[in-house]
């Protein structure tokens, strides 16, 4: 029965994902990922988008191989430019005679399937650890998360990162609990696959060592003699897991550079890493590119170093009325609070209070008792350690461009909350009643009080379900009541939190419905206005920007909220913006309508 319910929950998630993305245009990152994946699978050439591993892009490209697509390789973007991913995306999707919408829909399909596989594995792992109720509640929270629904529909690495951290940690925890050769090999393969999904998964390396040492401590009940020998053995096994992971990485990258000319790989690597701070690493990566056996690892390292370089540089982003490239320490904590559903936050609060009460009520708090608890609840402990490390790293980062960057912690938060809520709803302990009043108390807590708890949990889960329905199809723009709701969440943060370019086709629907012959547009995203509205000056749209000034009377004007909020925000941390670029002529003007949630429409 539990498995049937799990299938129903995941089926519901797939329906929401598939239906809600159908009328959405390409998001910003899809413009780079889709052509890159197709070039990898069709041409075995890795010159595009090396800053991300290939696996998610490969999956998205598989359905495209069955279409008769034109991928031009005679354009300067392909032959001359270094990593001309954005221009190649525009040319491939919109300017080569291909059906852009078909490309977008087909490439997203396998990503949505991966989300369903992810949910099933999450359910199976959690139910085996803590029972069917915890497993079902965990995937219910996973499948109804607006953030997971939103980002599991797009060709980006965000779902891949979450999936990679889950399989990496779940298989490693399984290995620690039962250190068989089979579990070691599975953990090694999972580690290698994780590295092929997103470069942030290198964080698994220090996490593995921390968890391994912790396991040795609690497994040997803090016995110093046993710990020394156990530590050496477990560290050797962790290194072996890393070696197996490297063995997985090599053939995948080798496949992707089969037709990537050697001289071109060396030249691209030299150019991209010319400004990388640690010259020894950059030079080693270039040196490896010239060695046939090391070429795949050189390409892997190139991407890793690009990510490190970008993270250090930050990214211009709007947050709470300001724009900066420096980032904010409250960015991710605040977004987590306003982008998760309010009923889930209530469940999390109940779970936290219950956990604190249990800690306070514990009669013994010796190190050995704590070690026994950690040993018996190692998956819970590992989840908390991972969340602490990953959130700490994210909070200290200057790369503040979306809640999607902390998606990897979501499944583990759902596990922690589900486990505690199930225990809270069932929990009541009383010694054998000794008199009539104790029997009454026992009956009340065992039946009436438990029913109250189950009713509250059911009401909160129903609220989450209804929130899912009411948010449809605008999951990317979702903000809860604390964040002003989906209509007003843009005032907190935009970009992939709210406006990633997903509403261009909805703008087209608005234009056709209102029979608008000409509209000025300032659009942010992976869509192409020329493809949907015709090429200027003969099409139905005209490119516009702030410094052009107010459009003539009678003109329709549409602007993406990422551009509008960024232009009107207060610059901080040395950020400079010209007065002409602030859209000062829109400050006192109200939009007459919206396309979806993210494009404001004005009439002058």
């Amino acid at each position: 029965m539990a498995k049937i319910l799990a299938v129903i929950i995941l089926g519901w998630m797939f329906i929401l994902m598939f239906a809600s993305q159908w009328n959405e245009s390409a998001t910003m990152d899809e413009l780079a990922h889709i052509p890159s994946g197709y070039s990898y699978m069709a041409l075995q050439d890795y010159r595009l988008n090396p800053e991300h591993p290939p696996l998610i892009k490969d999956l998205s490209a598989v359905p495209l191989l069955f279409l008769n697509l034109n991928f031009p390789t005679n354009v300067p973007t392909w032959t001359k430019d270094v990593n001309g991913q954005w221009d190649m995306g525009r040319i491939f999707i919109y300017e080569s005679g291909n059906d852009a919408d078909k490309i977008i829909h087909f490439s997203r399909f396998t990503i949505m399937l991966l989300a369903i596989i992810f949910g099933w594995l999450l359910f199976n792992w959690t139910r085996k650890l803590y029972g069917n109720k915890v497993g079902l509640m965990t995937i219910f929270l996973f499948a109804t998360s607006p953030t997971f629904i939103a980002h599991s529909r797009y060709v980006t690495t965000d779902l891949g990162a979450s999936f990679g951290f889950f399989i990496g940690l779940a298989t490693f925890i399984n290995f620690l609990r039962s250190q068989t050769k089979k579990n070691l090999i599975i953990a090694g393969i999972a580690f290698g696959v994780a590295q092929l999904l997103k470069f942030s998964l290198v964080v698994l390396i220090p996490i593995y060592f921390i968890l391994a040492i912790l396991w040795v401590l609690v497994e040997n009940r803090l016995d110093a003699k046993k710990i020394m020998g156990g530590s050496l053995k477990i560290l050797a096994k962790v290194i072996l897991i890393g070696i197996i992971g490297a063995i997985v990485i090599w053939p995948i990258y080798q496949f992707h550079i089969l037709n990537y000319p050697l001289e071109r790989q060396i030249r691209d690597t030299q150019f991209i890493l010319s400004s990388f701070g640690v010259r020894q690493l950059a030079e080693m990566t270039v040196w490896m590119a010239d060695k046939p056996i090391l070429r795949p690892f050189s390409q892997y390292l190139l991407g890793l170093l690009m990510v490190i370089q970008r993270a250090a540089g930050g990214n211009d982003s709007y947050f709470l009325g300001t724009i900066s490239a420096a980032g904010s320490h409250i960015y991710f904590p605040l977004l987590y609070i306003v982008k998760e559903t309010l009923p889930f936050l209530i469940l999390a609060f109940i779970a936290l209070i219950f956990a604190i009460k249990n800690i306070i009520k514990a009669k013994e708090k010796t190190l050995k008792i704590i070690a026994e608890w950690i040993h018996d609840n190692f998956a819970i402990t590992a989840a908390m350690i991972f969340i602490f490390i990953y959130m700490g790293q994210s909070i200290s980062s200057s790369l503040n461009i979306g809640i999607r960057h902390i998606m990897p912690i979501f499944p583990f938060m759902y596990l922690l909350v589900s486990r505690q809520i199930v225990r809270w709803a069932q929990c009541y302990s009383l010694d054998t009643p000794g008199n009539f009043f104790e029997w009454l108390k026992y009956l009340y807590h065992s039946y009436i009080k438990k029913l109250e708890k189950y009713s509250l949990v059911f009401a909160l889960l129903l609220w989450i379900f209804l929130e899912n329905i009411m948010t449809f199809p605008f999951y990317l723009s979702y903000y809860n009541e604390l964040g002003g709701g989906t209509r007003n969440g843009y005032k907190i943060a935009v970009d992939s939190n709210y406006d990633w370019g997903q509403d261009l086709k909805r703008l087209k629907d608005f234009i056709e419905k209102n029979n608008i012959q000409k509209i000025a547009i300032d659009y942010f995203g992976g869509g192409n206005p020329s493809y949907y509205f015709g090429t200027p000056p003969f099409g139905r749209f005209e490119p516009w920007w702030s410094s052009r000034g107010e459009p003539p009377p009678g003109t329709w004007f549409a602007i993406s909220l990422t551009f509008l909020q960024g232009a009107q925000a207060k610059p901080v941390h040395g950020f400079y913006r010209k007065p002409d670029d602030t859209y000062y002529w829109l400050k006192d003007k109200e939009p007459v309508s919206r396309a979806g949630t993210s494009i404001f429409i004005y009439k002058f």
Side-chain angles (χ1 to χ4, degrees), residues 29-38 49 52 57 60 155-157:
D29 283 15
E30 288 182 302
L31 188 61
H33 291 321
I34 291 174
S36 301
Y38 187 79
N49 197 240
H52 294 291
K57 293 171 283 184
S60 75
V155 184
T156 66
T157 56

Side-chain angles (χ1 to χ4, degrees), residues 22-43:
W22 190 254
N23 199 35
E24 292 197 346
S25 46
T27 58
M28 179 58 78
D29 283 15
E30 288 182 302
L31 188 61
H33 291 321
I34 291 174
S36 301
Y38 187 79
S39 70
Y40 301 164
M41 297 299 287
L43 305 176

Side-chain angles (χ1 to χ4, degrees), residues 354-522:
F354 179 66
I356 293 172
K357 281 186 176 180
N358 283 341
I359 293 171
I360 294 172
K361 287 166 61 177
K363 296 178 181 179
E364 295 185 63
K365 298 184 179 69
T366 64
L367 285 176
K368 286 192 175 182
I369 293 296
I370 294 171
E372 286 178 7
W373 185 92
I374 292 174
H375 180 271
D376 296 339
N377 298 272
F378 197 76
I380 295 290
T381 305
M384 291 190 290
I385 290 172
F386 168 67
I387 291 169
F388 178 80
I389 291 174
Y390 197 85
M391 274 300 287
Q393 180 192 41
S394 299
I395 289 170
S396 62
S397 170
S398 58
L399 200 62
N400 289 175
I401 55 175
I403 187 71
R404 61 193 175 94
H405 283 206
I406 61 167
M407 274 175 59
I409 74 167
F410 282 36
F412 296 98
M413 287 294 293
Y414 300 149
L415 166 61
L416 293 176
V417 171
S418 299
R419 171 87 193 298
Q420 287 298 93
I421 289 298
V422 169
R423 292 181 68 234
W424 170 75
Q426 295 177 336
C427 181
Y428 180 69
S429 61
L430 181 70
D431 294 334
T432 303
N435 55 51
F436 177 74
F437 293 105
E438 287 185 0
W439 270 107
L440 289 178
K441 186 178 180 181
Y442 173 79
L443 292 172
Y444 170 75
H445 281 279
S446 297
Y447 297 99
I448 299 174
K449 190 70 175 178
K450 188 176 289 187
L451 181 62
E452 290 176 358
K453 291 179 179 179
Y454 277 119
S455 298
L456 175 60
V457 173
F458 177 79
L460 291 171
L461 295 181
L462 179 62
W463 183 359
I464 293 173
F465 178 75
L466 295 176
E467 193 101 328
N468 256 218
I469 296 174
M470 291 186 291
T471 303
F472 182 89
F474 306 119
Y475 297 105
L476 183 73
S477 302
Y478 175 81
Y479 277 80
N480 64 28
E481 294 82 352
L482 299 176
T486 301
R487 297 294 291 179
N488 296 302
Y490 69 90
K491 296 175 183 178
I492 295 176
V494 282
D495 203 282
S496 61
N497 299 301
Y498 198 89
D499 167 30
W500 219 10
Q502 73 275 11
D503 286 326
L504 187 61
K505 289 172 66 177
R506 294 186 177 113
L507 177 61
K508 179 186 177 184
D509 293 341
F510 177 86
I511 290 172
E512 291 176 350
K513 180 180 178 181
N514 291 276
N515 196 27
I516 298 171
Q517 298 305 309
K518 201 80 170 182
I519 185 169
I521 299 176
D522 192 3

Side-chain angles (χ1 to χ4, degrees), residues 310 313-332 335 397-405 479 490-497 499 524 561-573 575 577:
R310 188 189 179 204
N315 200 87
D316 297 345
S317 61
Y318 168 85
F319 181 55
L320 292 178
T322 65
I323 187 166
S324 169
S328 168
H329 293 320
I330 67 168
Y331 181 86
F332 286 113
L335 279 177
S397 170
S398 58
L399 200 62
N400 289 175
I401 55 175
I403 187 71
R404 61 193 175 94
H405 283 206
Y479 277 80
Y490 69 90
K491 296 175 183 178
I492 295 176
V494 282
D495 203 282
S496 61
N497 299 301
D499 167 30
F524 169 82
L561 279 167
T562 293
F563 281 156
L564 181 60
Q565 292 298 92
Q568 295 187 341
K570 177 184 176 182
V572 296
H573 297 296
F575 189 95
R577 184 180 51 225

Side-chain angles (χ1 to χ4, degrees), residues 266 269-270 281-291 294 298:
I266 296 171
T269 304
Q270 287 175 330
L281 283 176
E283 291 166 5
M284 182 184 72
T285 304
V286 173
W287 175 81
M288 291 170 65
D290 193 28
K291 309 298 180 293
L294 297 177
S298 172

Side-chain angles (χ1 to χ4, degrees), residues 295-326:
R295 280 188 69 194
F297 289 125
S298 172
Q299 191 68 14
Y300 173 84
L301 283 175
L302 169 64
L304 180 60
L305 297 185
M306 289 177 73
V307 169
I308 292 171
Q309 185 169 251
R310 188 189 179 204
N315 200 87
D316 297 345
S317 61
Y318 168 85
F319 181 55
L320 292 178
T322 65
I323 187 166
S324 169

